[in-house]
């Protein structure tokens, strides 16, 4: 499936095509059964050797062992990671010492605007819950029954 949007200057395609064509792959997915290890050895093999993988979604979306192997073998140019499979990341993880990896301690969203928005959502959700309604961000509405 390929669709183009002139207004947004983007195109939609399947994951395989995206990985083969992209210079930068930025992951911002939630962790679900479908996204767990969505990017593994086979997917990393599809990427250009000069491509950069950025994960700011959830750590387990990327198979870290496969990522480490690809980075060490030069099959992937670099990675930028704000999240890890296990958090906090182990101090002896190769990801922390590879010269082609930039890591953050899960603070990629730490802007004033984002944190203010998170606080505002929390307050609105609390007030809604105290008023007896369940808002859109309730992760376990079945518990209210």
């Amino acid at each position: 499936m390929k669709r183009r949007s002139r207004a947004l200057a983007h195109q939609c395609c399947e994951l395989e095509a995206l990985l083969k064509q992209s210079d930068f792959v930025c992951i911002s997915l939630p962790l679900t059964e479908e996204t767990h290890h969505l990017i593994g050895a086979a997917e990393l093999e599809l990427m250009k050797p000069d491509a950069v993988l950025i994960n700011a979604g959830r750590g387990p979306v990327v198979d870290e062992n496969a990522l480490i192997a690809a980075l060490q073998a030069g099959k992937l140019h670099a990675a930028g990671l704000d999240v890890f499979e296990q958090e906090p990341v182990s101090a002896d993880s190769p990801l922390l010492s590879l010269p082609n990896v930039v890591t953050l301690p899960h603070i990629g969203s730490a802007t004033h605007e984002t944190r203010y928005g998170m606080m505002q959502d929390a307050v609105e959700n609390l007030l809604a819950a105290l008023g007896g309604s369940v808002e859109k961000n309730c992760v376990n509405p079945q518990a209210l029954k």
Side-chain angles (χ1 to χ4, degrees):
M1 165 179 77
K2 224 178 199 182
R3 295 177 301 181
R4 285 194 176 271
S5 168
R6 286 194 176 123
L8 299 176
H10 76 282
Q11 85 181 32
C12 298
C13 62
E14 299 297 325
L15 179 61
E16 182 177 329
L18 177 126
L19 294 172
K20 286 179 178 179
Q21 297 172 29
S22 299
D23 296 320
F24 292 87
V25 174
C26 301
I27 299 168
S28 59
L29 295 171
L31 179 61
T32 66
E33 288 181 23
E34 294 82 22
T35 63
H36 184 264
H37 283 186
L38 178 70
I39 305 297
E43 292 75 23
L44 293 166
E45 189 70 33
L46 294 171
M47 294 179 71
K48 299 176 183 180
D50 60 346
V52 176
L53 178 74
I54 299 168
N55 189 3
R58 291 292 177 247
V61 171
V62 176
D63 178 342
E64 276 186 13
N65 290 328
L67 177 61
I68 291 166
L71 290 163
Q72 289 174 331
K75 294 184 178 194
L76 184 64
H77 180 68
L81 306 171
D82 184 45
V83 291
F84 304 90
E85 279 199 75
Q86 299 295 317
E87 292 187 5
V89 65
S90 172
D92 62 351
S93 171
L95 293 170
L96 299 178
S97 60
L98 286 169
N100 53 347
V101 177
V102 174
T103 62
L104 289 171
H106 204 143
I107 60 167
S109 67
T111 66
H112 292 290
E113 295 84 1
T114 301
R115 295 302 165 108
Y116 180 81
M118 292 166 69
M119 183 254 334
Q120 188 172 16
D121 284 348
V123 170
E124 289 171 4
N125 288 337
L126 175 62
L127 292 173
L130 291 172
S133 67
V134 176
E135 289 298 310
K136 63 182 179 193
N137 294 328
C138 183
V139 296
N140 60 345
Q142 70 278 5
L144 299 171
K145 293 180 183 177

